[in-house]
Amino acid sequence: MAERETWATRLGFLLAAIGSAVGLGNIWRFPFITSENGGAAFLVVYLLAVLVIGLPAILAEFVIGRRANTSAIGAFRKLGRPGWWFVGAVGVIAAFWTLSYYSVIGGWVLRYIGGSVTGNALAAPEGYFGAISVGLSSIGTHAVFMLITIGIVALGIEDGIELATKVMVPAVVVMLVGLAVFAATLPGASEGYAFFLNPDFDVIVSNFGSVLPAAFGQALFSLSLGFSVMITYASYLGEDDSLPVDGFSIAVSNTAIGVLAGLVVLPLLFAQGIEAGGGGPGAVFVAIPTALAELPGGELVGQAVGIVFFGVILIAALSSAISLLEAAVAFLVDNYGFSRLPTAAGLGAVVFALGIPSAYDTAWLNWFDGIGVTLLLPLAVLLVVLFVGWVLGRDAIDELRTGSTSGSLASIWLWWLRTVVLAVVVIVVALNLWDLFATPDTGYYFIPSPLR
Ligand code: PHE
């Protein structure tokens, strides 16, 4: 078998990991979930969640990946704990599952770039979304999005993922900064900032039970945890990298880009007096074009801003989608010696098929999202934390220290992972299960709503 690939440079790995982390979660989900949960107060809880849970957990995935130097499922055998293979398997299945509808949303975004060029997306936002988000149209754009994702993954680590994200991540930052500067010039933008940046802690206190899991879930999803993605990416790393420094850089960049996205979306909506909340997968696709259509300066300004806005989301979504596909591709390539191109194409085709119900009807998309992000993701994180904290133990400390100077920090990290992180993740899983089964509108979640 050919020698296993590695990242060409450390920066390459960092950008690929940031590209994975920064996605629909930051630019599409984060501003909306923030506005539904009390604005700035939610932001504070989210920041706390990244620091207290996200950062230690990402280091746990890095430790598994780099030490094993192989993809997520085989990693456990390499680490001398073959019985724990299912930890990686849950993650890979979760990645596969999530990509199926992530790609459907990516397809909508693709369509909205076209809709911004022609102006149709802005002319009648609700009708446009209703037309392109279901049926054959949505299945078609889902196929195109998957094809691009497959193409990049098929090119490999260095020539595909690393090269692509080296362009994509800087592009996202530049475009978002441009949009934020533009949004700042809008009359009424300051109300958006006030909502986003002035915490109203009453909202948190009175909605504790829902704000908390929402913030922690968002932190995990947004750092690409629980999907074996960070395990896989770290498996292509060399020994001389400092994992704590890398993890910290990724967490900070990811959060900064999420905040930057908020500084675009919230002023844009508030300037036009549009309700930001209301959630649902369609929210951004209806609210934003409505705001764009009313921008001062006329239609062309709205269309131009729309092209850049949906362009950013597309790039961010693609750099996340490739990491989700890579988690599964790496497994087959590493364990069975399959070659990359047919593996990426074959798995991509299966993901496409799995996504057809979500593309056909958004009720299915909601169901897939519910199972993927509310259940599989925290469950996978729980298993990873349990494994690294209580099974790997001292080996984990060793690995974290390799390439870094943080001697005693590593011991504190392990202790923290075993206790606080584990406890919080257990609570999140429990609250999510409760929500899935006991809330009237989402209850009995295992029977998908289209079949009820
Ligand atoms: N972090 C990505 C986002 O915020 C989603 C993702 C999760 C990507 C897990 C890969 C793995 O959109």
Side-chain angles (χ1 to χ4, degrees), residues 154-173:
L155 288 171
I157 295 301
E158 200 183 320
D159 298 334
I161 298 179
E162 186 167 348
L163 199 65
T165 49
K166 233 179 224 167
V167 180
M168 292 163 121
V169 174
V172 164
V173 174

mmCIF file with all atom_site columns, all heavy atoms in Angstrom, residues 154-173:
data_model
loop_
_atom_site.group_PDB
_atom_site.id
_atom_site.type_symbol
_atom_site.label_atom_id
_atom_site.label_alt_id
_atom_site.label_comp_id
_atom_site.label_asym_id
_atom_site.label_entity_id
_atom_site.label_seq_id
_atom_site.pdbx_PDB_ins_code
_atom_site.Cartn_x
_atom_site.Cartn_y
_atom_site.Cartn_z
_atom_site.occupancy
_atom_site.B_iso_or_equiv
_atom_site.pdbx_formal_charge
_atom_site.auth_seq_id
_atom_site.auth_comp_id
_atom_site.auth_asym_id
_atom_site.auth_atom_id
_atom_site.pdbx_PDB_model_num
ATOM 1   N N   . ALA A 1 154 ? -11.486 13.565 -3.478 1.00 0.00 ? 154 ALA A N   1
ATOM 2   C CA  . ALA A 1 154 ? -10.824 12.584 -4.339 1.00 0.00 ? 154 ALA A CA  1
ATOM 3   C C   . ALA A 1 154 ? -9.385  12.997 -4.641 1.00 0.00 ? 154 ALA A C   1
ATOM 4   O O   . ALA A 1 154 ? -8.525  12.152 -4.872 1.00 0.00 ? 154 ALA A O   1
ATOM 5   C CB  . ALA A 1 154 ? -11.608 12.419 -5.641 1.00 0.00 ? 154 ALA A CB  1
ATOM 6   N N   . LEU A 1 155 ? -9.114  14.293 -4.614 1.00 0.00 ? 155 LEU A N   1
ATOM 7   C CA  . LEU A 1 155 ? -7.755  14.771 -4.912 1.00 0.00 ? 155 LEU A CA  1
ATOM 8   C C   . LEU A 1 155 ? -6.777  14.512 -3.777 1.00 0.00 ? 155 LEU A C   1
ATOM 9   O O   . LEU A 1 155 ? -5.575  14.708 -3.924 1.00 0.00 ? 155 LEU A O   1
ATOM 10  C CB  . LEU A 1 155 ? -7.787  16.264 -5.245 1.00 0.00 ? 155 LEU A CB  1
ATOM 11  C CG  . LEU A 1 155 ? -8.395  16.615 -6.609 1.00 0.00 ? 155 LEU A CG  1
ATOM 12  C CD1 . LEU A 1 155 ? -8.573  18.116 -6.750 1.00 0.00 ? 155 LEU A CD1 1
ATOM 13  C CD2 . LEU A 1 155 ? -7.519  16.073 -7.733 1.00 0.00 ? 155 LEU A CD2 1
ATOM 14  N N   . GLY A 1 156 ? -7.288  14.140 -2.620 1.00 0.00 ? 156 GLY A N   1
ATOM 15  C CA  . GLY A 1 156 ? -6.384  13.755 -1.533 1.00 0.00 ? 156 GLY A CA  1
ATOM 16  C C   . GLY A 1 156 ? -6.194  14.834 -0.486 1.00 0.00 ? 156 GLY A C   1
ATOM 17  O O   . GLY A 1 156 ? -6.793  15.905 -0.555 1.00 0.00 ? 156 GLY A O   1
ATOM 18  N N   . ILE A 1 157 ? -5.331  14.529 0.473  1.00 0.00 ? 157 ILE A N   1
ATOM 19  C CA  . ILE A 1 157 ? -5.124  15.446 1.591  1.00 0.00 ? 157 ILE A CA  1
ATOM 20  C C   . ILE A 1 157 ? -4.385  16.702 1.138  1.00 0.00 ? 157 ILE A C   1
ATOM 21  O O   . ILE A 1 157 ? -4.898  17.816 1.239  1.00 0.00 ? 157 ILE A O   1
ATOM 22  C CB  . ILE A 1 157 ? -4.332  14.727 2.717  1.00 0.00 ? 157 ILE A CB  1
ATOM 23  C CG1 . ILE A 1 157 ? -5.168  13.593 3.293  1.00 0.00 ? 157 ILE A CG1 1
ATOM 24  C CG2 . ILE A 1 157 ? -3.930  15.690 3.819  1.00 0.00 ? 157 ILE A CG2 1
ATOM 25  C CD1 . ILE A 1 157 ? -6.483  14.033 3.866  1.00 0.00 ? 157 ILE A CD1 1
ATOM 26  N N   . GLU A 1 158 ? -3.180  16.492 0.576  1.00 0.00 ? 158 GLU A N   1
ATOM 27  C CA  . GLU A 1 158 ? -2.362  17.652 0.251  1.00 0.00 ? 158 GLU A CA  1
ATOM 28  C C   . GLU A 1 158 ? -2.876  18.396 -0.973 1.00 0.00 ? 158 GLU A C   1
ATOM 29  O O   . GLU A 1 158 ? -3.029  19.630 -0.947 1.00 0.00 ? 158 GLU A O   1
ATOM 30  C CB  . GLU A 1 158 ? -0.917  17.178 0.031  1.00 0.00 ? 158 GLU A CB  1
ATOM 31  C CG  . GLU A 1 158 ? 0.083   18.289 0.163  1.00 0.00 ? 158 GLU A CG  1
ATOM 32  C CD  . GLU A 1 158 ? 1.497   17.810 -0.134 1.00 0.00 ? 158 GLU A CD  1
ATOM 33  O OE1 . GLU A 1 158 ? 1.852   16.684 0.295  1.00 0.00 ? 158 GLU A OE1 1
ATOM 34  O OE2 . GLU A 1 158 ? 2.240   18.557 -0.789 1.00 0.00 ? 158 GLU A OE2 1
ATOM 35  N N   . ASP A 1 159 ? -3.178  17.656 -2.033 1.00 0.00 ? 159 ASP A N   1
ATOM 36  C CA  . ASP A 1 159 ? -3.569  18.317 -3.283 1.00 0.00 ? 159 ASP A CA  1
ATOM 37  C C   . ASP A 1 159 ? -5.052  18.637 -3.352 1.00 0.00 ? 159 ASP A C   1
ATOM 38  O O   . ASP A 1 159 ? -5.504  19.371 -4.220 1.00 0.00 ? 159 ASP A O   1
ATOM 39  C CB  . ASP A 1 159 ? -3.229  17.417 -4.482 1.00 0.00 ? 159 ASP A CB  1
ATOM 40  C CG  . ASP A 1 159 ? -1.743  17.163 -4.566 1.00 0.00 ? 159 ASP A CG  1
ATOM 41  O OD1 . ASP A 1 159 ? -0.989  18.013 -4.062 1.00 0.00 ? 159 ASP A OD1 1
ATOM 42  O OD2 . ASP A 1 159 ? -1.343  16.110 -5.100 1.00 0.00 ? 159 ASP A OD2 1
ATOM 43  N N   . GLY A 1 160 ? -5.822  18.081 -2.451 1.00 0.00 ? 160 GLY A N   1
ATOM 44  C CA  . GLY A 1 160 ? -7.261  18.354 -2.451 1.00 0.00 ? 160 GLY A CA  1
ATOM 45  C C   . GLY A 1 160 ? -7.645  19.241 -1.293 1.00 0.00 ? 160 GLY A C   1
ATOM 46  O O   . GLY A 1 160 ? -7.787  20.454 -1.419 1.00 0.00 ? 160 GLY A O   1
ATOM 47  N N   . ILE A 1 161 ? -7.781  18.614 -0.117 1.00 0.00 ? 161 ILE A N   1
ATOM 48  C CA  . ILE A 1 161 ? -8.325  19.332 1.041  1.00 0.00 ? 161 ILE A CA  1
ATOM 49  C C   . ILE A 1 161 ? -7.433  20.504 1.465  1.00 0.00 ? 161 ILE A C   1
ATOM 50  O O   . ILE A 1 161 ? -7.907  21.614 1.691  1.00 0.00 ? 161 ILE A O   1
ATOM 51  C CB  . ILE A 1 161 ? -8.532  18.337 2.210  1.00 0.00 ? 161 ILE A CB  1
ATOM 52  C CG1 . ILE A 1 161 ? -9.561  17.280 1.786  1.00 0.00 ? 161 ILE A CG1 1
ATOM 53  C CG2 . ILE A 1 161 ? -8.996  19.071 3.458  1.00 0.00 ? 161 ILE A CG2 1
ATOM 54  C CD1 . ILE A 1 161 ? -9.849  16.231 2.836  1.00 0.00 ? 161 ILE A CD1 1
ATOM 55  N N   . GLU A 1 162 ? -6.115  20.242 1.536  1.00 0.00 ? 162 GLU A N   1
ATOM 56  C CA  . GLU A 1 162 ? -5.223  21.301 2.028  1.00 0.00 ? 162 GLU A CA  1
ATOM 57  C C   . GLU A 1 162 ? -5.184  22.487 1.063  1.00 0.00 ? 162 GLU A C   1
ATOM 58  O O   . GLU A 1 162 ? -5.304  23.647 1.469  1.00 0.00 ? 162 GLU A O   1
ATOM 59  C CB  . GLU A 1 162 ? -3.812  20.735 2.243  1.00 0.00 ? 162 GLU A CB  1
ATOM 60  C CG  . GLU A 1 162 ? -2.871  21.730 2.886  1.00 0.00 ? 162 GLU A CG  1
ATOM 61  C CD  . GLU A 1 162 ? -1.578  21.092 3.388  1.00 0.00 ? 162 GLU A CD  1
ATOM 62  O OE1 . GLU A 1 162 ? -1.497  19.844 3.449  1.00 0.00 ? 162 GLU A OE1 1
ATOM 63  O OE2 . GLU A 1 162 ? -0.655  21.838 3.736  1.00 0.00 ? 162 GLU A OE2 1
ATOM 64  N N   . LEU A 1 163 ? -5.055  22.176 -0.202 1.00 0.00 ? 163 LEU A N   1
ATOM 65  C CA  . LEU A 1 163 ? -4.975  23.240 -1.212 1.00 0.00 ? 163 LEU A CA  1
ATOM 66  C C   . LEU A 1 163 ? -6.280  24.046 -1.241 1.00 0.00 ? 163 LEU A C   1
ATOM 67  O O   . LEU A 1 163 ? -6.276  25.279 -1.274 1.00 0.00 ? 163 LEU A O   1
ATOM 68  C CB  . LEU A 1 163 ? -4.709  22.597 -2.577 1.00 0.00 ? 163 LEU A CB  1
ATOM 69  C CG  . LEU A 1 163 ? -4.151  23.521 -3.640 1.00 0.00 ? 163 LEU A CG  1
ATOM 70  C CD1 . LEU A 1 163 ? -2.764  23.991 -3.233 1.00 0.00 ? 163 LEU A CD1 1
ATOM 71  C CD2 . LEU A 1 163 ? -4.082  22.802 -4.988 1.00 0.00 ? 163 LEU A CD2 1
ATOM 72  N N   . ALA A 1 164 ? -7.400  23.326 -1.217 1.00 0.00 ? 164 ALA A N   1
ATOM 73  C CA  . ALA A 1 164 ? -8.702  24.000 -1.315 1.00 0.00 ? 164 ALA A CA  1
ATOM 74  C C   . ALA A 1 164 ? -8.935  24.911 -0.113 1.00 0.00 ? 164 ALA A C   1
ATOM 75  O O   . ALA A 1 164 ? -9.330  26.077 -0.265 1.00 0.00 ? 164 ALA A O   1
ATOM 76  C CB  . ALA A 1 164 ? -9.820  22.970 -1.426 1.00 0.00 ? 164 ALA A CB  1
ATOM 77  N N   . THR A 1 165 ? -8.659  24.391 1.091  1.00 0.00 ? 165 THR A N   1
ATOM 78  C CA  . THR A 1 165 ? -8.978  25.202 2.272  1.00 0.00 ? 165 THR A CA  1
ATOM 79  C C   . THR A 1 165 ? -8.000  26.364 2.437  1.00 0.00 ? 165 THR A C   1
ATOM 80  O O   . THR A 1 165 ? -8.320  27.348 3.078  1.00 0.00 ? 165 THR A O   1
ATOM 81  C CB  . THR A 1 165 ? -8.984  24.339 3.555  1.00 0.00 ? 165 THR A CB  1
ATOM 82  O OG1 . THR A 1 165 ? -7.806  23.552 3.601  1.00 0.00 ? 165 THR A OG1 1
ATOM 83  C CG2 . THR A 1 165 ? -10.200 23.440 3.595  1.00 0.00 ? 165 THR A CG2 1
ATOM 84  N N   . LYS A 1 166 ? -6.812  26.245 1.836  1.00 0.00 ? 166 LYS A N   1
ATOM 85  C CA  . LYS A 1 166 ? -5.863  27.353 1.875  1.00 0.00 ? 166 LYS A CA  1
ATOM 86  C C   . LYS A 1 166 ? -6.426  28.583 1.156  1.00 0.00 ? 166 LYS A C   1
ATOM 87  O O   . LYS A 1 166 ? -6.068  29.720 1.453  1.00 0.00 ? 166 LYS A O   1
ATOM 88  C CB  . LYS A 1 166 ? -4.561  26.934 1.188  1.00 0.00 ? 166 LYS A CB  1
ATOM 89  C CG  . LYS A 1 166 ? -3.338  27.155 2.043  1.00 0.00 ? 166 LYS A CG  1
ATOM 90  C CD  . LYS A 1 166 ? -2.099  26.695 1.321  1.00 0.00 ? 166 LYS A CD  1
ATOM 91  C CE  . LYS A 1 166 ? -1.207  25.911 2.249  1.00 0.00 ? 166 LYS A CE  1
ATOM 92  N NZ  . LYS A 1 166 ? -0.147  25.196 1.564  1.00 0.00 ? 166 LYS A NZ  1
ATOM 93  N N   . VAL A 1 167 ? -7.252  28.335 0.177  1.00 0.00 ? 167 VAL A N   1
ATOM 94  C CA  . VAL A 1 167 ? -7.887  29.442 -0.541 1.00 0.00 ? 167 VAL A CA  1
ATOM 95  C C   . VAL A 1 167 ? -9.211  29.804 0.139  1.00 0.00 ? 167 VAL A C   1
ATOM 96  O O   . VAL A 1 167 ? -9.552  30.985 0.299  1.00 0.00 ? 167 VAL A O   1
ATOM 97  C CB  . VAL A 1 167 ? -8.164  29.032 -2.007 1.00 0.00 ? 167 VAL A CB  1
ATOM 98  C CG1 . VAL A 1 167 ? -8.821  30.165 -2.770 1.00 0.00 ? 167 VAL A CG1 1
ATOM 99  C CG2 . VAL A 1 167 ? -6.874  28.582 -2.680 1.00 0.00 ? 167 VAL A CG2 1
ATOM 100 N N   . MET A 1 168 ? -9.961  28.776 0.549  1.00 0.00 ? 168 MET A N   1
ATOM 101 C CA  . MET A 1 168 ? -11.324 28.999 1.023  1.00 0.00 ? 168 MET A CA  1
ATOM 102 C C   . MET A 1 168 ? -11.382 29.790 2.332  1.00 0.00 ? 168 MET A C   1
ATOM 103 O O   . MET A 1 168 ? -12.177 30.725 2.475  1.00 0.00 ? 168 MET A O   1
ATOM 104 C CB  . MET A 1 168 ? -12.025 27.659 1.218  1.00 0.00 ? 168 MET A CB  1
ATOM 105 C CG  . MET A 1 168 ? -12.292 26.935 -0.088 1.00 0.00 ? 168 MET A CG  1
ATOM 106 S SD  . MET A 1 168 ? -12.660 25.200 0.248  1.00 0.00 ? 168 MET A SD  1
ATOM 107 C CE  . MET A 1 168 ? -14.270 25.067 -0.442 1.00 0.00 ? 168 MET A CE  1
ATOM 108 N N   . VAL A 1 169 ? -10.554 29.401 3.305  1.00 0.00 ? 169 VAL A N   1
ATOM 109 C CA  . VAL A 1 169 ? -10.658 30.048 4.615  1.00 0.00 ? 169 VAL A CA  1
ATOM 110 C C   . VAL A 1 169 ? -10.319 31.542 4.542  1.00 0.00 ? 169 VAL A C   1
ATOM 111 O O   . VAL A 1 169 ? -11.099 32.367 5.026  1.00 0.00 ? 169 VAL A O   1
ATOM 112 C CB  . VAL A 1 169 ? -9.820  29.298 5.681  1.00 0.00 ? 169 VAL A CB  1
ATOM 113 C CG1 . VAL A 1 169 ? -9.822  30.040 6.991  1.00 0.00 ? 169 VAL A CG1 1
ATOM 114 C CG2 . VAL A 1 169 ? -10.378 27.891 5.865  1.00 0.00 ? 169 VAL A CG2 1
ATOM 115 N N   . PRO A 1 170 ? -9.183  31.916 3.908  1.00 0.00 ? 170 PRO A N   1
ATOM 116 C CA  . PRO A 1 170 ? -8.932  33.354 3.788  1.00 0.00 ? 170 PRO A CA  1
ATOM 117 C C   . PRO A 1 170 ? -10.051 34.068 3.022  1.00 0.00 ? 170 PRO A C   1
ATOM 118 O O   . PRO A 1 170 ? -10.422 35.195 3.373  1.00 0.00 ? 170 PRO A O   1
ATOM 119 C CB  . PRO A 1 170 ? -7.612  33.432 3.014  1.00 0.00 ? 170 PRO A CB  1
ATOM 120 C CG  . PRO A 1 170 ? -6.950  32.115 3.251  1.00 0.00 ? 170 PRO A CG  1
ATOM 121 C CD  . PRO A 1 170 ? -8.050  31.117 3.410  1.00 0.00 ? 170 PRO A CD  1
ATOM 122 N N   . ALA A 1 171 ? -10.599 33.408 1.999  1.00 0.00 ? 171 ALA A N   1
ATOM 123 C CA  . ALA A 1 171 ? -11.673 34.043 1.225  1.00 0.00 ? 171 ALA A CA  1
ATOM 124 C C   . ALA A 1 171 ? -12.873 34.324 2.114  1.00 0.00 ? 171 ALA A C   1
ATOM 125 O O   . ALA A 1 171 ? -13.484 35.399 2.037  1.00 0.00 ? 171 ALA A O   1
ATOM 126 C CB  . ALA A 1 171 ? -12.071 33.155 0.046  1.00 0.00 ? 171 ALA A CB  1
ATOM 127 N N   . VAL A 1 172 ? -13.217 33.370 2.973  1.00 0.00 ? 172 VAL A N   1
ATOM 128 C CA  . VAL A 1 172 ? -14.358 33.559 3.877  1.00 0.00 ? 172 VAL A CA  1
ATOM 129 C C   . VAL A 1 172 ? -14.117 34.767 4.782  1.00 0.00 ? 172 VAL A C   1
ATOM 130 O O   . VAL A 1 172 ? -14.996 35.617 4.957  1.00 0.00 ? 172 VAL A O   1
ATOM 131 C CB  . VAL A 1 172 ? -14.591 32.288 4.733  1.00 0.00 ? 172 VAL A CB  1
ATOM 132 C CG1 . VAL A 1 172 ? -15.474 32.582 5.922  1.00 0.00 ? 172 VAL A CG1 1
ATOM 133 C CG2 . VAL A 1 172 ? -15.217 31.195 3.878  1.00 0.00 ? 172 VAL A CG2 1
ATOM 134 N N   . VAL A 1 173 ? -12.908 34.859 5.327  1.00 0.00 ? 173 VAL A N   1
ATOM 135 C CA  . VAL A 1 173 ? -12.614 35.961 6.246  1.00 0.00 ? 173 VAL A CA  1
ATOM 136 C C   . VAL A 1 173 ? -12.713 37.308 5.519  1.00 0.00 ? 173 VAL A C   1
ATOM 137 O O   . VAL A 1 173 ? -13.384 38.240 5.987  1.00 0.00 ? 173 VAL A O   1
ATOM 138 C CB  . VAL A 1 173 ? -11.210 35.783 6.881  1.00 0.00 ? 173 VAL A CB  1
ATOM 139 C CG1 . VAL A 1 173 ? -10.843 36.998 7.715  1.00 0.00 ? 173 VAL A CG1 1
ATOM 140 C CG2 . VAL A 1 173 ? -11.185 34.522 7.734  1.00 0.00 ? 173 VAL A CG2 1
#
